[in-house]
Amino acid sequence: MIAEAILKIKPDAQVTIDGNDIDTCEIIWHDSNPKNITKEQIKVAINELSNAETQKIADKASANAKLRELGLTDDEIEAFKSWAVF
């Protein structure tokens, strides 16, 4: 998630990350760090990505529940998802 957060801030960043914890990892900037991205900024981006993923999961569950309320079976919902383009 650290790499994704850095790319959210700077899409063309070239980095190597040693570790999984933002507080203790080492970030090696291969393209320098022209924006002077801090670990605090990365933490904010990680939180935003996490919130977006949580919202996506909640939206999917809500959509499935609404389709069930309309009387669709789980098989029908899956069939719908297989051809629907969103």
Side-chain angles (χ1 to χ4, degrees):
M1 181 80 68
I2 297 169
E4 292 90 345
I6 291 171
L7 292 174
K8 180 177 177 8
I9 298 166
K10 185 177 185 282
D12 61 342
Q14 297 177 15
V15 299
T16 300
I17 301 162
D18 185 18
N20 295 320
D21 184 330
I22 187 62
D23 292 316
T24 59
C25 73
E26 180 182 2
I27 300 172
I28 302 162
W29 298 89
H30 299 290
D31 59 349
S32 75
N33 186 0
K35 286 188 163 186
N36 295 320
I37 298 170
T38 65
K39 285 191 175 184
E40 290 305 316
Q41 290 170 307
I42 296 169
K43 286 179 185 179
V44 169
I46 288 171
N47 190 38
E48 290 170 355
L49 290 169
S50 179
N51 289 344
E53 184 62 27
T54 299
Q55 186 61 49
K56 185 176 178 180
I57 292 167
D59 289 346
K60 183 177 178 179
S62 174
N64 285 335
K66 289 175 183 176
L67 290 169
R68 281 188 201 94
E69 287 175 10
L70 292 173
L72 275 73
T73 66
D74 287 341
D75 288 338
E76 290 170 328
I77 292 169
E78 288 304 313
F80 173 74
K81 287 191 252 181
S82 70
W83 62 265
V85 178
F86 298 97

